[in-house]
């Protein structure tokens, strides 16, 4: 079995060593133009030339959860795309979102600024019930985030494409589904967490019309993709006072360009696309398990993380 590795912006050696150790029966090589055809590929943002030269791949394994960059390429009809299914990301995302919600709710940013200024001051405790958190996207990451926020007793709303049964991790989540229920979901939420995939349907979904439906003093946490957010609309709603602030981990252009108004806005907290990192060992183990299952004849359709390319996630 041949496996080819083509991941832009990723040091290949540790991945090649990890894949060779996990799949000693396979020949694992770094892709270069003109390389012989492989059975499977491990990829992140490969060039179109890679896809064009490897039309016979049984599956493309994406070393991230989001497949928006991959699906922008022309893929041969029927080529299977498999994304990371958690692989250690959901607990990181839960940590990140909880710290952002709690930092805002408990006003720790203001307490830190006071202390830096040499000021010892208390603020009136705020009511948790006034800070309902709405999570857009109740998939692998969104449902783990919902569970973590509930451990801190925040009221949690969730919004997804298809309706969710009130069971398991979502048993206590107030669930909304589809475009028709988006206004009710937004009106019920003060803090908005975006964990949607970037698709034709969700691009620019965080805009003036949607964000202005959040409760007054709303707070936005974007941890999905920069192209979900209309930057100018966020700035206008921060400046009008309708939104109290935002924590942004992802940006339309990354790295965030010098001079972008986000850099020094006093109501923004920024991080460099780091909320849930790909963990190499977990990812290699997951991909190796899936490649073995395919080799043993398991149908790919049953595999967690298989992307529906017609939906874009
Ligand atoms: P997932 O399991 O595929 O979940 C996606 C969720 O979004 C599902 O609940 C889905 O609804 C919902 N959804 C999709 N299209 C929708 C629409 N048009 N309207 C309403 N809901 C819609 O994905 P995941 O693993 O949780 O990852 C989510 C995203 O997080 C990734 O695509 C990636 O962009 C981002 N991410 C960011 C980082 C980071 O470090 N910042 C790290 C990892 C991932 P259904 O349940 O009905 O299908
Ligand atoms: C990171 O953003 C990912 O999609 O895994």
């Amino acid at each position: 079995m041949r496996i080819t590795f083509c991941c832009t912006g990723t040091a290949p050696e540790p991945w090649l060593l990890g894949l060779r150790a996990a799949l000693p029966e396979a020949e694992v090589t770094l892709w270069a133009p003109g390389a012989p055809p492989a059975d499977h590929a491990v990829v992140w943002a490969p060039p179109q030339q890679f896809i064009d030269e490897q039309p016979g791949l049984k599956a493309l394994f994406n070393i991230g959860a989001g497949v928006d960059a991959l699906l922008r390429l022309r893929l041969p009809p029927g080529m299977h795309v498999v994304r990371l299914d958690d692989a250690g990301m959901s607990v990181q995302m839960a940590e990140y979102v909880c710290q952002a919600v709690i930092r805002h709710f408990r006003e720790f940013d203001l307490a830190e600024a006071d202390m830096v200024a040499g000021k010892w001051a208390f603020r009136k405790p705020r009511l948790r019930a006034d800070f309902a958190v709405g999570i857009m996207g109740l998939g692998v990451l969104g449902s783990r985030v919902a569970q973590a926020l509930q451990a801190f007793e925040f009221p949690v709303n969730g919004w997804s494409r298809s309706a969710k049964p009130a069971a398991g991790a979502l048993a206590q989540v107030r669930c909304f589904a589809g475009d028709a229920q988006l206004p009710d979901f937004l009106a019920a939420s003060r803090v908005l967490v975006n964990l949607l995939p970037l698709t034709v349907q969700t691009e620019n979904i965080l805009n003036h019309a949607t964000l202005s439906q959040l409760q007054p003093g709303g707070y936005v946490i974007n941890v999905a993709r920069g192209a979900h957010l209309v930057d100018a609309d966020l700035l206008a709603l921060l400046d009008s006072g309708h939104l109290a602030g935002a924590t942004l981990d992802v940006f339309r252009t990354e790295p965030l360009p010098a001079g972008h108004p986000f850099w020094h806005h006093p109501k923004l907290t920024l991080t460099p696309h780091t909320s849930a990192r790909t963990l190499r060992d977990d990812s290699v183990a997951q991909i190796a398990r899936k490649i073995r299952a395919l080799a043993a004849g398991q149908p790919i359709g049953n595999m967690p993380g298989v992307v529906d390319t017609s939906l874009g996630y």
Side-chain angles (χ1 to χ4, degrees), residues 260-274:
H260 191 288
F262 284 175
W263 274 111
H264 299 295
H265 198 289
K267 293 185 179 175
L268 292 179
T269 301
L270 313 181
T271 52
H273 199 143
T274 200

Side-chain angles (χ1 to χ4, degrees), residues 36-156:
D39 301 296
H40 300 286
V42 177
V43 298
W44 180 257
Q48 183 65 47
Q49 184 185 3
F50 168 81
I51 303 290
D52 294 345
E53 289 188 9
Q54 294 282 336
L57 290 168
K58 296 187 183 115
L60 282 173
F61 289 89
N62 186 58
I63 62 164
V67 288
D68 41 293
L70 190 51
L71 297 190
R72 274 196 286 273
L73 301 176
R74 285 182 314 280
L75 302 182
M79 184 174 275
H80 295 290
V81 174
V82 186
R83 67 188 190 85
L84 287 182
D85 171 52
D86 196 337
M89 283 191 190
S90 72
V91 67
Q92 297 178 69
M93 196 53 96
E95 287 163 353
Y96 183 98
V97 172
C98 286
Q99 69 78 30
V101 171
I102 291 168
R103 184 175 166 80
H104 172 60
F105 167 61
R106 295 287 308 276
E107 302 183 285
F108 288 142
D109 49 345
L110 302 180
E112 281 166 18
D114 283 347
M115 294 303 268
V116 168
K119 193 165 130 200
W120 187 276
F122 292 108
R123 290 187 164 71
K124 188 165 175 271
R126 309 204 279 187
L127 287 180
R128 210 171 292 268
D130 292 340
F131 283 79
V133 184
I135 304 172
M136 303 178 96
L138 290 174
V140 175
L141 303 184
S143 52
R144 181 69 183 81
V145 167
Q147 206 179 12
L149 287 166
Q150 286 183 318
F152 289 106
E153 301 179 17
F154 286 99
V156 177

Side-chain angles (χ1 to χ4, degrees), residues 88-250:
M89 283 191 190
S90 72
V91 67
Q92 297 178 69
M93 196 53 96
E95 287 163 353
Y96 183 98
V97 172
C98 286
Q99 69 78 30
V101 171
I102 291 168
R103 184 175 166 80
H104 172 60
F105 167 61
R106 295 287 308 276
E107 302 183 285
F108 288 142
D109 49 345
L110 302 180
E112 281 166 18
D114 283 347
M115 294 303 268
V116 168
K119 193 165 130 200
W120 187 276
F122 292 108
R123 290 187 164 71
K124 188 165 175 271
R126 309 204 279 187
L127 287 180
R128 210 171 292 268
D130 292 340
F131 283 79
V133 184
I135 304 172
M136 303 178 96
L138 290 174
V140 175
L141 303 184
S143 52
R144 181 69 183 81
V145 167
Q147 206 179 12
L149 287 166
Q150 286 183 318
F152 289 106
E153 301 179 17
F154 286 99
V156 177
N157 304 314
W159 182 67
S160 52
R161 198 176 52 80
S162 54
K164 301 282 172 240
L170 300 179
Q172 305 302 320
V173 176
R174 191 172 164 208
C175 288
F176 300 80
D179 292 347
Q181 292 184 7
L182 181 58
D184 290 342
F185 162 79
L186 293 168
S189 305
R190 176 152 171 188
V191 179
L192 187 68
V193 178
N194 177 32
L195 272 168
L196 292 167
L198 181 62
T199 66
V200 174
Q201 283 72 34
T202 65
E203 188 167 4
N204 298 327
I205 194 165
L206 304 178
N207 57 45
H208 199 281
T210 52
L211 297 180
S212 56
Q213 293 175 61
L214 288 175
Q215 294 172 358
Y219 194 87
V220 175
I221 300 172
N222 189 17
V223 276
R225 287 290 183 265
H228 284 125
L229 174 67
V230 180
D231 296 0
D233 291 0
L234 176 73
L235 290 168
L237 288 164
L238 290 170
D239 294 344
S240 76
H242 181 71
L243 294 179
T247 291
L248 305 177
D249 184 50
V250 288

